[in-house]
Amino acid sequence: MSTPLLDVTGLCKTYGTNVAVSDLSFTLPAGGSLGLVGESGSGKTTTARMLIGLERPDRGQILVKGEPLAAASRLARAKAVQIVFQDPYLSLDPRLTIRAALDDVLRLHRHPDRAARVTELLDQVGLGAREAAAKPRGLSGGQRQRAAIARALAVEPDVLVLDEAVSALDVSIQAQVLNVLADIRRETGIGIVFVSHDLAVVRYLCDEALVLHRGVVVERGAIEALLTDPQDPYTRLLISSVPHAGWSPEEISEQRRALQQRS
Amino acid sequence: MNTLLDIKGLTVAMAGLGRPILDEVSLAVHDGEAVALVGESGSGKSVTARTALGLFPGGATVSGSVVVGGTEVVAAGPGDLRRVRTSVASMIFQDPRAGVNPVRRIGDFLTEPLRRIQGRSKAEATAQALELLGAVGMPDPPRHLRQFPHELSGGMLQRVMIAYALTADPRLLLCDEPTTALDVTTQAEIMAILGRLRRDRGLGILLITHDLDLAASVCDRVYVMYAGRIMEAAPSAALTSVPRHPYTRGLLGSAPPLTGPMPRLAPIPGAPLGLAEAVSGCPFAARCAHVVPGLCDATTPTLERHGDSQVACLRAAELIDETQGEGLR
Ligand code: SF4
């Protein structure tokens, strides 16, 4: 078997007495797409931050193509894993136009043909010349998120972590960005870790998913199997919480209370 | 049936903008009815809800009528507005933390309006606060009275905000994205509480949301809003099974399904119309796959009845025929 893109073993992170992530392990094969599904307090965001080296795990190890992430230099780490946050302002410099921001990253990484790569990136995320010449504030929310995705893709990282990256967008814009991400996945073979609370969106982009509850993986598997035949009560609760015709909030509340009493 | 909220031909405009914030909006909520107003950012859904409390954007020109519990609030005096806000309609918002003072106990927060506005004694106000916390499903009301906001989760605090809204003993509860900032499993809890209040107290509910699936699953009727205008109004079941307006269909086609086949999404192109952009004819024309130049940009469609729905689309009748038998969504 070839070396997986990402190989995560026994990841733990504790803040004071609060166990954010407990003994998390998973692998991401080349070209794979994995959903990390959970609500607030599930540990999904802490995991995302550890994957890009923003947080140091207390225990456990993250290997990118077999190399420990912790030992990598800053530039090497950036080539290994990139992240897109819910808020694009976290990765875009408000003073730079989108074109300049992309060019900046490429210069830092000594890219041989920056102009061509910038054009390619803009094209990949569906931004035109007008948007490229604008600063983040001059763009709509959807365009800003496309720009943040382009910036993350600039250095052709092995893995792209998307942390609730489409959650704040308007429904019609979210669909556009989801298609951009689906195309990028197909065209580049980049590995994707998609952190989200939204099962339907995870289904659209991922082959597999982990369901996280209070820092622990309660279920993992192929996304279709997980949705059609969930084994863990928490996974079942998450699925039934999605509004649909004949939805009964009362029943879900009872299900939720029963689960809380058990733990 | 008694009409709690009756908005008719409401237009709210401000100088310097390309289009009105609200344009000829008509909407009604009856006693005990749950009605949703669905739209994306800039659609005017929150502005519409706020007009039910007599809150209009500063400096705006307002025409049309907003009758709340029998009282006209457009150009109303302070006495009428006070009466509406303290006995007819209350509102809850997306972020419960923004509405509370972090250094005040929940008990003081709830008893203050009961004493100051409703004129209850201290003991009466405390008893009623306990009862309201029970009504919104808080597990231990006496303890919660002594707690500070930071001791409660977002979902628990949103229940406190609902209890606070109930201190006015309203007949109409305006809920502006009440679960958007909460976890998905918490959303169901809040919706269950709102459903119970509606049943037990005959409360009318206007739910403002961006989530069409949520709206249709908990409300009797849904209004879909775009660029300050109502595009479609229909009973929930009709709206999701036979969506008639191209925008409604676009919204439904934008959300990936949780079950069944998973086709590539067919997003609505472009972005929602900003306030600076001028409109001529149908506000959705720039993004509509069915637009007919010369027709759609020349005439502004108004709501017309088609089946159980009211639709503001010049081509509604033909488009229905087109989709018959095709299998919707
Ligand atoms: S009036 Fe024309 S542009 Fe507007 S929704 Fe109908 S078909 Fe589309």
Side-chain angles (χ1 to χ4, degrees), chain A residues 8 41 63 66 96 118 159 171 176 181 199 219-220:
Chain A
V8 172
L63 301 180
L96 294 184
V118 168
V159 178
V171 194
Q176 297 169 2
L181 292 171
L199 285 166
E219 190 158 359
R220 67 173 79 211

Side-chain angles (χ1 to χ4, degrees), chain A residues 129-257:
Chain A
R130 193 200 69 80
E131 290 86 20
K135 291 182 182 164
R137 218 159 281 282
L139 299 177
S140 69
Q143 292 166 339
R144 255 195 309 273
Q145 197 57 294
R146 287 169 193 255
I149 294 169
R151 188 182 184 281
L153 290 176
V155 298
E156 297 178 73
D158 299 308
V159 178
L160 180 62
V161 178
L162 298 153
D163 187 5
E164 298 282 3
V166 298
S167 309
L169 301 175
D170 269 321
V171 194
S172 66
I173 305 301
Q174 187 187 78
Q176 297 169 2
V177 176
L178 283 175
N179 278 353
V180 166
L181 292 171
D183 292 344
I184 287 168
R185 215 203 130 183
R186 209 186 48 238
E187 286 158 16
T188 65
I190 195 172
I192 288 182
V193 176
F194 192 79
V195 178
S196 176
H197 69 282
D198 188 333
L199 285 166
V201 163
V202 170
R203 182 182 179 223
Y204 192 62
L205 277 187
C206 303
D207 318 317
E208 287 184 78
L210 303 185
V211 179
L212 286 162
H213 185 44
R214 296 181 188 157
V216 178
V217 176
V218 295
E219 190 158 359
R220 67 173 79 211
I223 184 74
E224 290 301 325
L226 201 127
L227 288 173
T228 48
D229 188 20
Q231 299 300 312
D232 187 83
Y234 179 70
T235 313
R236 285 202 281 271
L237 173 65
L238 267 188
I239 294 171
S240 52
S241 294
V242 179
H244 55 262
W247 196 55
S248 165
E250 297 265 355
E251 258 170 49
I252 298 154
S253 305
E254 272 162 37
Q255 218 181 322
R256 183 169 185 252
R257 263 191 297 278

Side-chain angles (χ1 to χ4, degrees), chain B residues 246 282 284-297 315 319:
Chain B
C282 174
F284 189 58
R287 308 177 72 190
C288 182
H290 305 281
V291 62
V292 173
L295 172 74
C296 301
D297 47 10
R315 303 192 58 206
L319 294 178

